[in-house]
Amino acid sequence: MKVLVIGSGGREHALAWKLAQSPKVTRLYIAPGNPGTAQVGANVPILSEDLDGLLGFAEEERIDLTVVGPEAPLVAGIVDRFREGGRLVFGPTEAAARLEGSKHFAKEFMRANGIPTARSETFDALEPALAYVRKEGAPIVVKADGLAAGKGVTVALDVATAARALSECFESRAFGEAGGRVVIEEYLEGEEVSVLAICDGTSFLTLPSSQDHKRLLDNDQGPNTGGMGAYSPAPALTEELRARVEREVLQPTMAGMARAGTPYVGVLYAGMMLTSGGPKVLEFNCRMGDPETQAVLPMVENDLFELFHAAASGGLQAFGPIRAARGAAVCVVLASEGYPGSYPKGRLIEGLESLRRDPEVVVFHAGTRFDESGRVVTAGGRVLGVTARGDSVRAAIERAYRAVEQVRFEGMSFRRDIGRRAIARSG
Ligand code: AMP
Ligand code: GLY
């Protein structure tokens, strides 16, 4: 079978790495990919926004299954285009991807289907939004409605911060059209976990749970980022809580989307807050998490191609349960100094070769490229994700940080406390 993965980040390297392990996959392409995906398949120089180019390539190469990594092409309707072209693709349609593409849509959907989430209201203008914030008081959460590359959310601990966030959305238009509409949400307290469900339109299977580390610095200090590390499973999500998330969130979401005529096929990422009043949805994403994927997929023992193929063809019910590996996996993100602000590029990365020999360690490339002499250099804010497996989360953490010590590039920065919270729970 010929498989095409769309995207170029650490998540897509992890997807390609896992798909390449399937005996059924005979050819694997990644568009556009990165130096890491080039180790497991063939990179194709087509950008993920180029829907015509991607469909043309899939038709020419007779790709049997296309897997879409990032949200932007999904929200832009790539799945609809591929289906119209008669090509099997794993991901939600444009209508189904609104669960991520519009926070207002997601909140209305959750309200209509009785899915537990923070209380919220939507505003299209500054003045009424400000009045609402003043009435509700802080802490309070301000979210740009549309896609904002992970930067559209402000958790405001005081009213002035919330007011500033509103003015950025409505007046400075910091998020363009995405911020012309704003969801203001009740602040939830608790531990955050990510639950990824593989969905076929009617049924779903959940992958091992995970926890991201969104802040830049140790002890959850500093600005929000795309994610500085992750571990899987997340012991905070007990079996009982997982069953609740499936029953109270995932089942009604699948049923509600099907009833609305927009059945959900693809990965549904439920960002959950485990509050004292039970699990509540913080956000839905219409794709895998980054860097959660880099910790979750090494814990999945099933054949990922078979799983995605079954889901894309509506046949998940016949697929056996998801089998999780023993122990835990931890992914430490190595970032460029300056990230999440501006950062230098083109710095030489050393030490990758020695790590390729350890079967329990894998280095996923995110922001890297080959320079003119074929050496791997930095090309993004999040540069690499160093994942290690271990019999316990403690062992996985130790192995991951030993591997991190082998890697060097100028200005390399990373958190030193990835996974520490899981040790506190599970040892
Ligand atoms: P999102 O992009 O919706 O995932 O939001 C980014 C981060 O903001 C989440 O991962 C949470 O850490 C935080 N967050 C979002 N909504 C809330 C909320 N209602 N209460 C507390 N924290 C939140
Ligand atoms: N790591 C958070 C996300 O992928 O949205």
Side-chain angles (χ1 to χ4, degrees):
M1 294 280 186
K2 291 180 166 182
V3 177
L4 169 64
V5 174
I6 294 173
S8 63
R11 165 183 51 210
E12 287 75 27
H13 185 187
L15 283 165
W17 168 83
K18 184 73 182 160
L19 286 163
Q21 292 167 20
S22 169
K24 295 221 165 116
V25 175
T26 50
R27 289 302 301 267
L28 178 62
Y29 297 100
I30 307 93
N34 64 36
T37 62
Q39 294 164 7
V40 292
N43 288 347
V44 186
I46 308 174
L47 296 181
S48 57
E49 304 88 73
D50 181 3
L51 307 194
D52 290 329
L54 292 165
L55 181 56
F57 176 80
E59 283 175 340
E60 216 166 280
E61 286 297 321
R62 301 176 180 278
I63 298 292
D64 296 294
L65 176 69
T66 298
V67 175
V68 187
E71 63 275 16
L74 292 166
V75 171
I78 192 171
V79 166
D80 309 68
R81 297 284 304 278
F82 269 61
R83 285 206 192 148
E84 282 158 20
R87 302 236 76 88
L88 191 64
V89 55
F90 180 59
T93 58
E94 180 178 357
R98 279 184 300 168
L99 281 180
E100 173 167 1
S102 165
K103 299 216 187 261
H104 173 66
F105 173 83
K107 297 301 282 195
E108 288 298 303
F109 175 83
M110 286 189 266
R111 233 187 307 273
N113 289 280
I115 295 166
T117 185
R119 198 160 47 78
S120 76
E121 283 204 27
T122 302
F123 295 91
D124 293 311
L126 180 61
E127 279 311 318
L130 276 175
Y132 180 76
V133 162
R134 291 198 190 101
K135 173 169 74 80
E136 291 288 311
I140 196 156
V141 183
V142 175
K143 302 185 170 186
D145 178 57
L147 292 185
K151 299 187 182 83
V153 175
T154 302
V155 179
L157 298 182
D158 50 65
V159 169
T161 306
R164 225 172 12 252
L166 287 172
S167 130
E168 271 175 24
C169 287
F170 287 118
E171 296 190 321
S172 332
R173 286 293 169 132
F175 308 111
E177 276 307 300
R181 174 177 260 193
V182 166
V183 172
I184 303 181
E185 194 172 271
E186 163 198 16
Y187 173 81
L188 297 177
E189 241 169 309
E191 194 154 341
E192 237 179 291
V193 297
S194 306
V195 181
L196 306 176
I198 306 298
C199 308
D200 74 352
T202 49
S203 56
F204 65 88
L205 290 170
T206 52
L207 298 180
S209 61
S210 58
Q211 192 166 57
D212 190 4
H213 297 61
K214 290 214 162 111
R215 302 295 199 97
L216 180 68
L217 305 172
D218 287 7
N219 302 313
D220 297 326
Q221 302 296 308
N224 259 322
T225 69
M228 294 300 292
Y231 60 86
S232 172
L237 192 79
T238 58
E239 270 314 306
E240 187 208 333
L241 285 172
R242 171 196 289 275
R244 274 188 77 175
V245 171
E246 293 190 351
R247 197 171 59 240
E248 295 172 15
V249 175
L250 297 171
Q251 279 167 14
T253 300
M254 294 301 288
M257 291 301 278
R259 253 196 324 272
T262 54
Y264 196 94
V265 178
V267 179
L268 180 66
Y269 168 135
M272 304 296 308
M273 188 71 97
L274 305 178
T275 74
S276 54
K280 293 190 179 174
V281 177
L282 287 172
E283 61 162 345
F284 282 132
N285 292 321
C286 63
R287 36 89 191 159
M288 310 261 299
D290 189 340
E292 289 96 323
T293 306
Q294 294 91 303
V296 168
L297 288 185
M299 293 300 292
V300 174
E301 293 195 328
N302 307 69
D303 182 316
L304 198 67
F305 169 79
E306 287 181 6
L307 177 62
F308 286 177
H309 192 274
S313 354
L316 261 194
Q317 220 123 53
F319 196 90
I322 300 291
R323 295 187 312 277
R326 266 171 14 95
V330 170
C331 173
V332 179
V333 169
L334 307 183
S336 298
E337 65 182 329
Y339 174 78
S342 58
Y343 45 81
K345 293 182 185 174
R347 301 222 159 132
L348 182 66
I349 304 170
E350 293 174 286
L352 294 176
E353 276 312 310
S354 63
L355 291 174
R356 290 181 72 166
R357 288 190 287 273
D358 186 339
E360 298 299 332
V361 172
V362 41
V363 180
F364 294 115
H365 290 231
T368 70
R369 66 175 172 81
F370 291 117
D371 71 2
E372 308 74 47
S373 13
R375 298 178 308 178
V376 179
V377 299
T378 67
R382 292 191 291 174
V383 177
L384 298 165
V386 177
T387 295
R389 257 187 326 215
D391 289 336
S392 65
V393 69
R394 188 186 293 275
I397 291 169
E398 278 167 15
R399 189 174 277 138
Y401 279 102
R402 269 203 308 278
V404 166
E405 281 171 23
Q406 309 290 309
V407 183
R408 285 175 308 281
F409 59 87
E410 198 188 331
M412 177 172 117
S413 64
F414 57 92
R415 275 180 64 158
R416 286 159 207 280
D417 65 344
I418 302 301
R420 202 176 285 160
R421 206 180 276 149
I423 295 192
R425 279 181 185 273
S426 63

